[in-house]
Amino acid sequence: MPGKPWLDKRELILNKNKNIIILKLGGSLLTDKNKPFSIREDIVKDSIQQIVDAEEKLILIHGGGSYGHPLAKKYSIVKGIDSTIPNQVLGLTETHQSMNKFNSYMIKLFLEKKFPVLSIQASSIFIKDSNEISTSSMEVIETALDLNIMPILYGDIILDKQGSFSIISGDQIILELCKNLERYRISKVIFTMETEGIYVDDDQSNNDYKLATECYSDDLDNLKLADLGQKIDVTGGIKGKLNFIKQICDKNIPIQLINGLKDEYIYKSLKNQEIDCTNILIRR
Ligand code: IP8
């Protein structure tokens, strides 16, 4: 269109690949979750290198780890506004700022590798109304993807129109993306953790836990899960994760749970190469 050259450029970009992967890097992988403000630098750098090497179109989500959960717990942010908690609103903003700091560390590493990323704050694009997420504009994310910029979102605080607030976990953000992205098709969601996936007691009796390599989403409720040790987690741990996983599967999106500590597993998963992990399948 004469006089509007950017429209041509947009057209060109829009014709490109419309499939994306969503990758979550768990907070307990990236940080020492029980020691406030501690980044596991080698693991973060290695994970970022694998993402850069894979050259796939994706949205990256990261968890809170020791930058989010201890502060959120200290001020009981998940429970919403409570005037009996001293400085709770200040604690809410401190939690957000702490997550920003962690996110900035990640962003800087990508930019040092000349890899274009854009930090998008969940607290600016999502809001709750009586505890239900009511607003979600995906346009910024989709336009960033059009421009081949990798959007990075992270567990954050979320405000509630009824005069309260809570925490939005990385898993909840993923579910919202799965529900609301319109111009992109999510081919797969990868959750990167510190174990190969879900460990279950096969015969439900002798505590002999085995890796569930394949698991149908509608069987998730009936699994006897291994207790892999509880760290500070204000957003529900593995049980909370499975709840989101089921809802993501309802959108017909396959899920892989992988061990981010294993050599090149993030790269291999992004490239659909075979690895030991849990694949959550959808029954047709
Ligand atoms: O680690 C929690 O996100 P998650 C974010 O994905 C905060 O559960 C601020 C605790």
Side-chain angles (χ1 to χ4, degrees):
M1 191 180 290
K4 290 190 175 175
W6 65 86
L7 282 186
D8 297 345
K9 280 190 204 145
R10 191 161 183 265
E11 203 58 42
L12 270 177
I13 294 165
L14 290 180
N15 283 333
K16 286 196 180 161
N17 184 7
K18 283 288 189 281
N19 287 323
I20 50 154
I21 297 170
I22 296 183
L23 172 67
K24 162 123 192 243
L25 297 177
S28 30
L29 176 76
L30 304 179
T31 70
D32 182 347
K33 215 165 168 180
N34 290 327
K35 199 165 138 216
F37 317 116
S38 54
I39 298 178
R40 294 163 95 183
E41 289 187 19
D42 290 351
I43 295 172
V44 173
K45 286 180 182 160
D46 182 58
S47 308
I48 287 176
Q49 188 61 52
Q50 292 180 60
I51 294 168
V52 170
D53 291 345
E55 294 182 333
E56 291 294 328
K57 204 169 179 85
L58 59 101
I59 300 176
L60 179 63
I61 314 288
H62 68 80
S66 67
Y67 278 77
H69 291 264
L71 273 173
K73 186 167 188 247
K74 179 174 170 196
Y75 293 103
S76 292
I77 308 295
V78 173
K79 292 186 187 140
I81 194 156
D82 180 347
S83 58
T84 66
I85 298 170
N87 299 321
Q88 194 196 23
V89 170
L90 185 64
L92 174 79
T93 53
E94 279 174 3
T95 307
H96 170 72
Q97 187 52 28
S98 176
M99 284 304 300
N100 264 354
K101 205 170 156 193
F102 180 29
N103 177 253
S104 299
Y105 173 83
M106 307 268 297
I107 298 281
K108 186 168 168 274
L109 291 175
F110 276 106
L111 295 184
E112 277 171 10
K113 295 191 176 298
K114 309 271 179 259
F115 192 91
V117 291
L118 183 70
S119 170
I120 297 172
Q121 299 180 352
S123 52
S124 298
I125 62 166
F126 296 113
I127 193 159
K128 283 189 170 180
D129 191 359
S130 300
N131 230 16
E132 292 291 317
I133 294 186
S134 71
T135 315
S136 47
S137 162
M138 297 291 115
E139 282 193 325
V140 174
I141 297 173
E142 292 181 325
T143 307
L145 289 167
D146 293 343
L147 291 164
N148 286 327
I149 296 170
M150 183 175 78
I152 305 187
L153 293 90
Y154 49 95
D156 197 354
I157 61 150
I158 182 166
L159 302 182
D160 191 310
K161 287 187 203 175
Q162 301 301 323
S164 190
F165 45 75
S166 183
I167 293 290
I168 180 161
S169 68
D171 296 357
Q172 171 96 58
I173 293 171
I174 294 173
L175 178 60
E176 290 307 313
L177 297 180
C178 293
K179 282 183 182 166
N180 294 300
L181 279 176
E182 284 175 0
R183 291 199 284 106
Y184 281 86
R185 185 188 151 267
I186 302 159
S187 58
K188 167 179 177 180
V189 175
I190 305 166
F191 288 96
T192 308
M193 325 190 295
E194 283 180 287
T195 64
E196 256 81 345
I198 303 176
Y199 282 82
V200 292
D201 186 359
D202 257 1
D203 60 8
Q204 306 271 312
S205 62
N206 60 1
N207 286 352
D208 182 14
Y209 291 103
K210 291 197 181 74
L211 177 70
T213 53
E214 286 194 343
C215 179
Y216 283 98
S217 59
D218 51 4
D219 287 339
L220 286 173
D221 281 333
N222 308 321
L223 298 177
K224 189 178 171 205
L225 296 174
D227 177 9
L228 297 169
Q230 201 50 49
K231 301 195 175 153
I232 306 171
D233 195 320
V234 298
T235 49
I238 187 75
K239 289 246 162 70
K241 182 178 288 305
L242 289 183
N243 186 28
F244 285 118
I245 283 177
K246 274 185 284 177
Q247 295 181 67
I248 294 168
C249 287
D250 287 346
K251 300 268 153 218
N252 277 327
I253 300 168
I255 292 176
Q256 219 171 27
L257 305 177
I258 70 163
N259 189 340
L261 297 172
K262 285 281 180 83
D263 193 29
E264 298 289 305
Y265 264 32
I266 295 174
Y267 176 88
K268 287 179 182 163
S269 173
L270 288 170
K271 290 295 192 192
N272 282 328
Q273 294 174 11
E274 212 162 295
I275 48 174
D276 289 330
C277 65
T278 298
N279 287 298
I280 314 276
L281 312 170
I282 298 143
R283 215 180 291 277
R284 307 264 172 210

